[in-house]
Amino acid sequence: MANNNSFKNGGVKTKSISSSSSSYSSGYKSKPSVTSGGRRSSTGSTGNSAGALHKDTPGVSGRVRVAVRLRPRNTEEQSTDADFADCVEVQPELKRLKLRRNNWDSDTFEFDEVLTEFASQKRVYEVVAKPVVESVLDGYNGTVMAYGQTGTGKTYTLGRLGDEDTSARGIMVRAMEDIFAEISPETDSISVSYLQLYMETIQDLLDPTNDNLSIMEDPKSGDISLPGATLIEVRDQPSFVELLRLGEAHRFAANTKLNTESSRSHAILMVHVKKCVKERDGENGGKAHMSRTMKAPVVRKGKLIVVDLAGSERIDKSGSEGHTLEEAKSINLSLSALGKCINALAENSSHVPVRDSKLTRLLRDSFGGTARTSLVITIGPSPRHRGETSSTIMFGQRAMKVENMLKIKEEFDYKSLARKLDVQLESLIAEHEREQKAYQDEVQKIRLDAKKQMSDAEKSYKDAFEKERLKYQRESMESIKKLEVQLAANQEKQGDKRVKVGFKDEGVRSSTNAELIEAKKLLQNEILLRKAAEEEISNLRNQVVQWKRSEATGNAEISKLRKMLEDEVHHREKLEEEISMLQNQLLQLSFDADETRKQLEIGHGVDMSGEMGSLVSPVRQQQMAYSGEQKGSVAKLFEQVGLQKILSLLEAEDPDVRIHAVKVIANLAAEATNQEKIVEAGGLTSLLSLLTTSEDENIHRVAAGAIANLAMNETNQELIMSQGGISLLAMTAENADDPQTLRMVAGAIANLCGNDKLQLMLRAEGGIKALLGMVRCRHPDVLAQVARGIANFAKCESRASTQGIKTGKSLLIEDGALPWIVKNANNEASPIRRHVELALCHMAQHEVNAKDMISGGALWELVKISRDCSREDIRILARRTLSSSPTFQLELKRLRLNTG
């Protein structure tokens, strides 16, 4: 089937989830992005608690994502099936899996992710569960489920606690670690329930006495709930791990021929996350602070369900009998019911039999509902269980056709808003009272100071004026008296000397006139001083008038504040009335729900499954129409737009357009049928030029991945070398820091290392040096590709030496690769160790390399490989190499070592 490598999740309200994934990105790590602009209006309905308004939005299509994980051979299979090849061949780079029918024929299947037996628990979590966990934190429901034959590693994948080895932690533990890292303990909360479905009975793993829980369905929304189930709020990771340990202790398990610890029940972990959404800066524009506080806080509610299904089994193989047989029958019946529902949803059937089993009722929201669902199917390599493996693969293929309608759940917390407003109101009242008291005190102080200054000024000027008036009056009287005395004396001297007296009278008169002029001047000065005093008094009176006006303004401000306080009180009363009205509506809705439930119970046992099917059908039709019109696959895009148009977008100025065009080319390059067309149209040249013209490391990573795919073809390998591809890849590796970019570059060089004709050119242009330079990253995926490239190079050298084409020591030894090869011969990562073992064996086949390998410590590693290697073909190759080399044999005799 064709594979669509993208989550079909769109935006709801202000959130847009677009997890566009390709063969070259590490898992599905893209987080939901926040679109610009304000919130769109939505229809409100009452929430689950009084005082909270739930905001519902139309759903967005999102396909169920399916990953397949291959379990390595166990001890029994290594001995029993040693002479038989694995029935499964995985191709993780192409996201393909081949199931062998026989020695010459096989069936090929494509999945969203293909995980080899060497995939780490961290890698499994990142590609399977992490996108779901991120959606739960954004307010969506999410489901992670494991399905497969018993003994294939479902519980190991999901529920491993990692007490002894932290790297072995399962999805449950890692999911909670990410959730705790993203929430705030002050405003957010996490609650956990842990259940098991055993023999069609739902039991509480956190309270074993609660062993028969019932399922309740909301008649309006269709939501599933389990009243009576233990719901514990957790605050930290250790508390959650203890709950998991407690639940696992109560879970049913049994010893069968296929699994010594076979789970006999379906385990269901439910995590309820309430996360408060912080208001973004500037969201209210230029509104005042008072209006911003009136907005109710938004709470997003997401629910994560992790389902560890019990393994399907065949009775003749598991050897179940007695009570274990009854358990196996119950498990197979519930899994069969789940398979029927998946088939009906995949085929867009009008009826989905969700009521056939409690398992399908519990997972009603996960398949065909509103949750974002990720399924991991686990398989084993043994050819004895090919039938069970084929059934598991087909289950996953059908599940990939199921479309869900994702919905975000947000609530406005009006209770919190009311409490916040109460605190703010009390604070404003207290602040207003303090400001009013301080203002009144200040006005009173200014009034008293003004009165005192006016009184002092009036008294001072009055006293000064009176003193000056008395002084000048006294001086005037004295002057007049002197004049009168002189006049009288002059009159007595009248007589014969009239002329002389006349002259004297004239002198006296002149003296008198001078004194009068002096008196007038003093009087004018007095008048001027009096006017200045009156002006000073007028200024003081004006100041008093201004102070009175200031007092009036202050009183007006106080009145305004009082009015604002009254408005605030009125608004608070209005909010309380609105909260009361919402409470009444909630009570009325609760009453209506009870009445509806009673009527349904009285309704003569009417089957609701048909109604559910009728509801599913229009939603599915709407999903299929949207998917057909808006979500064309990459292949359809290739046919409609044309390769030349897509390649022209690689030179676009918009970086987003350029990165998307590179991803499309990378997806097309993953198909062997498209590679020749891409090369003929100049796609290889464009990809190589991007490594030099672009500075975006995302473009470098995807372009290198596309080049790695094209390098799987021998003709393309020569073209890459002729266009300086090795030099460009080496330059990219030298400048890159991202492990995924280095992994893609190392993969491309490793593919080129497998071409016999390009050995000397590859080494001359720095290919080996580039591989060795990338070990600085120390990321296991990068080291695995480096080891693969060295193994390919060593194999080609060995072949050339055997054919007599090459003489002299290995180029790997000359370039200094031997110390790194010896150092990683015992690497814990199986892919790295396997390639290093092959490289050592191939290098040792050429006798001229023997002395350097002995001095470099490689001989002892070859001896260990011949004894302890887990792969028999490598062990045989190592023994044959040691026995055929005279130099090695001589050194072994000297050291008295027996290769056995």
Side-chain angles (χ1 to χ4, degrees):
M1 62 175 286
N3 181 20
N4 184 5
N5 292 324
S6 63
F7 272 123
K8 298 181 180 177
N9 298 343
V12 287
K13 300 182 78 178
T14 61
K15 289 287 181 180
S16 171
I17 302 179
S18 177
S19 300
S20 181
S21 169
S22 69
S23 306
Y24 318 99
S25 60
S26 179
Y28 311 98
K29 298 182 180 178
S30 57
K31 288 189 72 174
S33 58
V34 181
T35 60
S36 61
R39 291 182 177 271
R40 297 197 296 267
S41 61
S42 60
T43 304
S45 61
T46 54
N48 296 328
S49 59
L53 182 64
H54 177 68
K55 301 187 74 175
D56 196 7
T57 57
V60 181
S61 175
R63 176 175 63 78
V64 174
R65 297 192 61 80
V66 181
V68 58
R69 186 180 193 184
L70 176 63
R71 170 182 60 76
R73 287 195 178 193
N74 54 34
T75 305
E76 180 185 357
E77 292 171 346
Q78 287 178 355
S79 59
T80 305
D81 301 336
D83 297 331
F84 299 94
D86 293 349
C87 68
V88 175
E89 178 186 353
V90 295
Q91 297 175 334
E93 295 85 359
L94 301 178
K95 301 185 186 300
R96 289 178 179 172
L97 177 145
K98 289 186 178 181
L99 179 64
R100 291 192 176 93
R101 295 181 181 177
N102 45 48
N103 291 334
W104 57 86
D105 196 6
S106 62
D107 294 322
T108 302
F109 303 93
E110 293 185 358
F111 290 93
D112 295 302
E113 191 68 33
V114 175
L115 302 167
T116 68
E117 66 270 29
F118 307 109
S120 64
Q121 290 283 75
K122 180 181 179 181
R123 168 70 174 167
V124 174
Y125 168 73
E126 288 179 346
V127 302
V128 174
K130 189 167 185 177
V132 179
V133 173
E134 291 172 348
S135 295
V136 171
L137 289 170
D138 288 331
Y140 298 90
N141 288 344
T143 302
V144 179
M145 188 172 75
Y147 178 93
Q149 181 190 8
T150 181
T152 53
K154 297 181 298 301
T155 303
Y156 175 84
T157 299
L158 295 181
R160 191 67 178 265
L161 299 181
D163 292 334
E164 299 177 356
D165 183 4
T166 57
S167 65
R169 304 189 313 280
I171 286 177
M172 292 181 180
V173 177
R174 293 178 185 269
M176 288 301 293
E177 289 175 353
D178 281 359
I179 291 175
F180 278 119
E182 293 293 331
I183 68 165
S184 172
E186 292 79 11
T187 58
D188 306 335
S189 66
I190 302 174
S191 301
V192 174
S193 294
Y194 200 14
L195 315 169
Q196 71 174 350
L197 178 59
Y198 176 71
M199 301 285 286
E200 281 301 300
T201 302
I202 302 176
Q203 302 177 2
D204 195 336
L205 289 175
L206 302 180
D207 183 9
T209 59
N210 199 4
D211 59 356
N212 192 9
L213 297 172
S214 59
I215 301 176
M216 299 293 293
E217 296 184 19
D218 190 323
K220 292 185 177 180
S221 64
D223 292 340
I224 300 297
S225 61
L226 296 167
T230 303
L231 188 63
I232 299 178
E233 183 173 352
V234 292
R235 291 289 183 180
D236 50 37
Q237 184 70 9
S239 302
F240 171 73
V241 173
E242 287 302 319
L243 289 179
L244 278 187
R245 188 175 284 109
L246 174 64
E248 288 298 322
H250 296 146
R251 191 176 176 189
F252 288 98
N255 185 4
T256 68
K257 292 181 179 180
L258 296 178
N259 191 356
T260 57
E261 295 183 2
S262 176
S263 301
R264 313 309 290 171
S265 65
H266 307 301
I268 303 169
L269 174 69
M270 294 185 177
V271 182
H272 302 265
V273 180
K274 290 184 180 180
K275 187 176 181 182
C276 183
V277 180
K278 295 182 180 179
E279 182 178 355
R280 295 184 294 274
D281 294 338
E283 186 174 352
N284 291 329
K287 293 185 179 179
H289 174 71
M290 185 67 69
S291 63
R292 288 201 300 269
T293 58
M294 297 302 296
K295 186 171 182 179
V298 178
V299 176
R300 287 181 177 168
K301 293 185 176 181
K303 180 170 68 174
L304 173 64
I305 301 178
V306 183
V307 185
D308 180 11
L309 295 176
S312 61
E313 62 183 60
R314 291 188 179 179
I315 307 303
D316 56 342
K317 291 184 178 181
S318 64
S320 300
E321 58 185 12
H323 185 67
T324 306
L325 177 60
E326 296 301 320
E327 292 175 338
K329 290 180 179 179
S330 177
I331 292 171
N332 290 340
L333 283 175
S334 61
L335 294 177
S336 176
L338 176 62
K340 291 179 181 178
C341 290
I342 297 296
N343 290 343
L345 290 169
E347 297 172 359
N348 198 20
S349 174
S350 60
H351 171 68
V352 182
V354 294
R355 295 186 176 274
D356 288 358
S357 169
K358 289 185 177 180
L359 176 62
T360 54
R361 293 182 66 190
L362 288 172
L363 299 179
R364 180 176 182 176
D365 192 48
S366 303
F367 293 96
T370 63
R372 182 174 186 176
T373 302
S374 186
L375 170 66
V376 55
I377 60 173
T378 57
I379 59 176
S382 175
R384 291 184 294 131
H385 304 303
R386 186 191 178 282
E388 291 85 343
T389 301
S390 175
S391 176
T392 302
I393 291 173
M394 296 310 299
F395 179 87
Q397 292 284 292
R398 290 190 293 269
M400 289 177 68
K401 299 179 181 179
V402 177
E403 297 279 347
N404 292 351
M405 292 296 289
L406 310 184
K407 289 186 178 180
I408 196 170
K409 294 185 178 179
E410 291 183 345
E411 294 182 355
F412 290 125
D413 192 354
Y414 283 109
K415 281 189 174 181
S416 174
L417 175 62
R419 289 193 296 269
K420 183 178 179 181
L421 290 176
D422 284 339
V423 174
Q424 290 183 352
L425 181 59
E426 296 299 331
S427 176
L428 286 174
I429 292 174
E431 182 67 22
H432 174 69
E433 289 180 351
R434 287 192 296 269
E435 291 180 354
Q436 186 178 21
K437 182 66 169 61
Y439 180 77
Q440 290 176 350
D441 293 343
E442 184 69 19
V443 170
Q444 184 66 21
K445 181 179 178 182
I446 293 173
R447 185 184 293 114
L448 293 176
D449 291 343
K451 286 183 178 180
K452 184 178 179 182
Q453 290 178 7
M454 287 176 61
S455 177
D456 293 343
E458 287 179 354
K459 184 178 179 181
S460 175
Y461 281 109
K462 186 176 181 181
D463 292 343
F465 179 75
E466 185 65 23
K467 287 180 180 179
E468 291 293 328
R469 188 183 65 79
L470 292 174
K471 176 182 176 182
Y472 288 121
Q473 185 178 5
R474 186 168 56 252
E475 290 178 351
S476 298
M477 292 300 294
E478 290 177 354
S479 299
I480 293 171
K481 285 181 179 180
K482 288 180 179 181
L483 292 173
E484 288 177 350
V485 171
Q486 289 180 1
L487 181 60
N490 291 329
Q491 288 177 354
E492 290 179 355
K493 293 180 178 180
Q494 293 178 359
D496 295 337
K497 299 179 180 179
R498 185 172 298 270
V499 176
K500 184 178 180 179
V501 171
F503 284 117
K504 291 183 179 178
D505 289 342
E506 185 67 25
V508 171
R509 194 176 294 116
S510 299
S511 177
T512 303
N513 290 336
E515 291 178 355
L516 288 175
I517 291 171
E518 183 70 21
K520 287 180 180 180
K521 288 181 178 179
L522 292 173
L523 185 60
Q524 289 177 354
N525 292 335
E526 182 66 23
I527 292 171
L528 292 175
L529 290 173
R530 182 174 182 178
K531 288 182 178 179
E534 289 176 352
E535 289 178 357
E536 184 69 23
I537 293 172
S538 177
N539 290 334
L540 290 173
R541 286 176 179 171
N542 290 335
Q543 290 181 8
V544 172
V545 172
Q546 290 178 356
W547 287 333
K548 288 183 179 180
R549 289 176 180 174
S550 299
E551 182 180 3
T553 304
N555 291 333
E557 185 69 21
I558 292 172
S559 300
K560 184 177 179 181
L561 290 173
R562 285 177 179 171
K563 188 174 184 307
M564 289 176 62
L565 182 60
E566 291 174 358
D567 293 341
E568 187 71 23
V569 173
H570 177 70
H571 190 70
R572 177 186 174 186
E573 292 175 354
K574 186 176 179 181
L575 276 177
E576 290 176 350
E577 291 177 1
E578 184 177 353
I579 292 172
S580 176
M581 181 179 66
L582 291 173
Q583 290 174 344
N584 293 335
Q585 291 179 359
L586 180 63
L587 292 174
Q588 182 63 35
L589 287 173
S590 178
F591 175 76
D592 293 342
D594 291 339
E595 290 295 323
T596 304
R597 191 181 298 109
K598 291 179 182 178
Q599 292 176 4
L600 291 174
E601 291 175 353
I602 299 173
H604 303 290
V606 178
D607 186 6
M608 297 298 291
S609 62
E611 179 185 355
M612 189 268 180
S614 64
L615 288 174
V616 170
S617 179
V619 174
R620 290 284 299 142
Q621 292 173 0
Q622 192 175 14
Q623 292 173 346
M624 294 300 291
Y626 177 81
S627 176
E629 295 174 4
Q630 304 292 334
K631 300 291 184 178
S633 64
V634 173
K636 187 174 181 181
L637 178 67
F638 176 43
E639 295 175 358
Q640 293 179 349
V641 178
L643 183 58
Q644 289 294 342
K645 180 64 175 178
I646 298 173
L647 290 175
S648 66
L649 295 178
L650 295 177
E651 300 177 358
E653 295 182 359
D654 190 342
D656 292 333
V657 174
R658 196 159 60 247
I659 186 65
H660 285 300
V662 177
K663 288 183 178 180
V664 171
I665 297 299
N667 276 317
L668 292 172
E671 299 290 339
T673 56
N674 297 330
Q675 291 181 359
E676 184 178 356
K677 299 177 182 178
I678 293 173
V679 173
E680 290 178 354
L684 176 58
T685 304
S686 299
L687 290 171
L688 290 172
S689 66
L690 284 176
L691 298 179
T692 56
T693 59
S694 175
E695 298 180 357
D696 191 334
E697 190 159 352
N698 291 327
I699 293 180
H700 289 173
R701 180 176 64 253
V702 182
I707 294 170
N709 277 345
L710 294 175
M712 297 175 67
N713 181 283
E714 184 174 353
T715 304
N716 295 340
Q717 290 174 354
E718 296 178 0
L719 289 174
I720 292 172
M721 293 296 296
S722 65
Q723 296 183 25
I726 281 294
S727 300
L728 296 176
L729 290 171
M731 179 188 66
T732 303
E734 183 180 358
N735 297 328
D737 294 322
D738 178 38
Q740 299 307 320
T741 303
L742 292 174
R743 179 172 70 90
M744 295 301 176
V745 174
I749 297 178
N751 289 340
L752 295 172
C753 286
N755 192 318
D756 296 327
K757 304 174 183 178
L758 307 177
Q759 295 279 294
L760 295 176
M761 185 185 301
L762 187 143
R763 188 249 186 153
E765 294 186 9
I768 302 302
K769 293 291 185 181
L771 280 177
L772 295 176
M774 283 185 278
V775 302
R776 72 181 187 278
C777 177
R778 297 187 180 181
H779 192 284
D781 292 343
V782 178
L783 297 182
Q785 293 299 327
V786 172
R788 182 170 72 88
I790 291 175
N792 286 345
F793 196 92
K795 183 177 180 181
C796 291
E797 276 195 330
S798 175
R799 191 158 47 228
S801 299
T802 303
Q803 296 172 356
I805 300 174
K806 180 184 182 303
T807 59
K809 68 172 63 176
S810 171
L811 298 178
L812 293 172
I813 295 177
E814 292 182 359
D815 282 353
L818 185 59
W820 184 86
I821 297 173
V822 173
K823 180 181 177 181
N824 287 272
N826 297 306
N827 196 293
E828 295 180 357
S830 299
I832 301 174
R833 187 175 63 254
R834 186 179 73 245
H835 290 308
V836 168
E837 290 171 349
L838 286 171
L840 282 173
C841 291
H842 288 310
M843 291 171 65
Q845 288 181 346
H846 194 32
E847 183 67 19
V848 74
N849 298 329
K851 291 183 179 181
D852 291 295
M853 295 185 70
I854 292 172
S855 62
L859 176 59
W860 176 240
E861 299 300 334
L862 283 170
V863 173
K864 288 197 292 184
I865 293 171
S866 67
R867 294 177 178 177
D868 304 330
C869 182
S870 60
R871 287 186 50 171
E872 185 177 0
D873 55 342
I874 299 178
R875 288 201 308 272
I876 294 173
L877 180 61
R879 291 172 186 170
R880 186 169 64 243
T881 301
L882 289 172
S883 62
S884 62
S885 172
T887 306
F888 285 153
Q889 286 297 316
L890 184 62
E891 182 67 14
L892 290 174
K893 289 179 181 180
R894 188 182 70 82
L895 297 175
R896 297 181 181 179
L897 291 177
N898 183 14
T899 59

